[in-house]
Amino acid sequence: SRRAPEVPVRVNPSAPVSVLLTLTKDKDERVRQSVARNSSVPESVLEAFANESDPGIHLSIVENPSTPIAIRVAILEALANDSAPWLRVRVGKNDLASQPLLVALSKDEDNYVRAAVASNLATAPEVLVKLASDRITEVVIAAVHNLQTPLSALTKLTSHKAVSVREALAAHAHRSADLCRTLWQDANKDVRSALISNPELDFKVLDEMAQSAGLEQELDVLLGHPNLSSESAQMTADKLVSMPATASPWYRDELAKARPEVVKAVEAGS
């Protein structure tokens, strides 16, 4: 299959139209692609470009804000059927892609294509719901990060077997207090850590977490949260100060590295 184009060459956007027209026939495809992205290029040149076989040129035309919408949409429709997955990925990410096109690409055999559709803010909510239950974790995570994904779909993912999915959920848990409470009960400390690191959490939810937090790492992160109330901050600080040294993760890590006789002595209280 064809590979994605290399790093593009930049053409001066203020170059005279006559120069740009000459560059449309350049042998270097990167130069032609740069011209196709140039908003100073006449529409007639862009239309001629659209008939080229180079997919990089087609993408450049689509990314050119001066290209008429009808032309951009038509190119996306054509590229959506290309055999190269990287081209279908670019189509799936484009907010001009039609809903029928996004629906079709949401069923693509390539995981990256489906993930691209899942990340597209133009994708319909009902399509995002289906992608949120995809068998591939990366596709699910892309749907979780999409702000258009319905909250009901996110709620169903709180028990997802992949920790990475639940961590991604934690980054968007501020959308629902109930979602926050559920994730706060997660057995995995990394999920809880991701949750309390979310800068968008409401102070009321943070107050609830401060009440039940017991691990030093969690208390430390909570204390530095910008939305934590002064009362909860004082309570969290008091918990940290009164916490015995033996409860510190640093202490436990160092003890794990110690010689057996040292560990035995510590455990004996000597």
Side-chain angles (χ1 to χ4, degrees), residues 162-164 166-167 170 183-184 186-196:
V163 173
S164 56
R166 304 201 305 277
E167 285 181 305
L183 290 172
W184 183 237
D186 197 288
N188 189 286
K189 62 182 180 59
D190 291 332
V191 174
R192 298 196 305 275
S193 179
L195 176 63
I196 56 180

Side-chain angles (χ1 to χ4, degrees), residues 21-263:
L21 285 170
T22 300
L23 292 175
T24 62
K25 302 176 183 178
D26 196 278
K27 293 182 179 180
D28 190 332
E29 66 178 24
R30 296 175 302 169
V31 173
R32 301 201 309 278
Q33 288 170 17
S34 183
V35 174
R37 280 193 300 272
N38 194 316
S39 59
S40 300
V41 174
E43 183 177 325
S44 59
V45 175
L46 294 175
E47 290 176 347
F49 260 148
N51 294 323
E52 284 210 10
S53 59
D54 179 13
I57 294 292
H58 296 166
L59 284 174
S60 297
I61 293 174
V62 169
E63 294 168 356
N64 189 330
S66 296
T67 304
I69 297 295
I71 294 178
R72 298 165 74 181
V73 170
I75 293 175
L76 288 172
E77 294 282 347
L79 293 178
N81 295 314
D82 197 282
S83 60
W86 71 268
L87 282 171
R88 302 199 302 278
V89 165
R90 295 285 283 273
V91 175
K93 288 182 177 180
N94 198 292
D95 58 5
L96 286 177
S98 66
Q99 285 306 317
L101 201 59
L102 291 173
V103 169
L105 291 175
S106 72
K107 303 172 185 176
D108 197 283
E109 62 181 13
D110 189 273
N111 303 337
Y112 293 104
V113 175
R114 299 199 306 281
V117 176
S119 69
N120 193 333
L121 292 173
T123 301
E126 59 269 24
V127 177
L128 291 172
V129 169
K130 292 181 179 179
L131 290 170
S133 61
D134 197 276
R135 68 183 187 282
I136 300 300
T137 299
E138 287 72 21
V139 177
V140 177
I141 290 176
V144 168
H145 286 306
N146 192 323
L147 297 179
Q148 300 303 319
T149 300
L151 185 59
S152 58
L154 299 184
T155 302
K156 292 180 180 178
L157 295 173
T158 54
S159 58
H160 197 282
K161 63 181 180 180
V163 173
S164 56
V165 168
R166 304 201 305 277
E167 285 181 305
L169 272 177
H172 298 279
H174 56 277
R175 293 178 58 183
S176 163
D178 287 338
L179 186 57
C180 288
R181 294 186 183 99
T182 300
L183 290 172
W184 183 237
Q185 300 303 317
D186 197 288
N188 189 286
K189 62 182 180 59
D190 291 332
V191 174
R192 298 196 305 275
S193 179
L195 176 63
I196 56 180
S197 297
N198 185 333
E200 303 296 328
L201 290 183
D202 181 81
F203 76 93
K204 292 181 180 179
V205 173
L206 285 168
D207 285 350
E208 291 180 24
M209 294 177 179
Q211 289 282 350
S212 59
L215 295 179
E216 182 181 27
Q217 304 102 309
E218 295 173 351
L219 292 169
D220 188 51
V221 175
L222 276 170
L223 192 58
H225 201 289
N227 297 336
L228 188 66
S229 67
S230 56
E231 293 82 2
S232 291
Q234 183 61 58
M235 177 184 64
T236 302
D238 291 342
K239 283 186 178 182
L240 279 169
V241 171
S242 61
M243 184 170 288
T246 52
S248 168
W250 175 87
Y251 176 90
R252 293 195 295 270
D253 288 343
E254 291 301 311
L255 188 61
K257 301 174 188 176
R259 298 190 308 274
E261 58 270 25
V262 173
V263 174

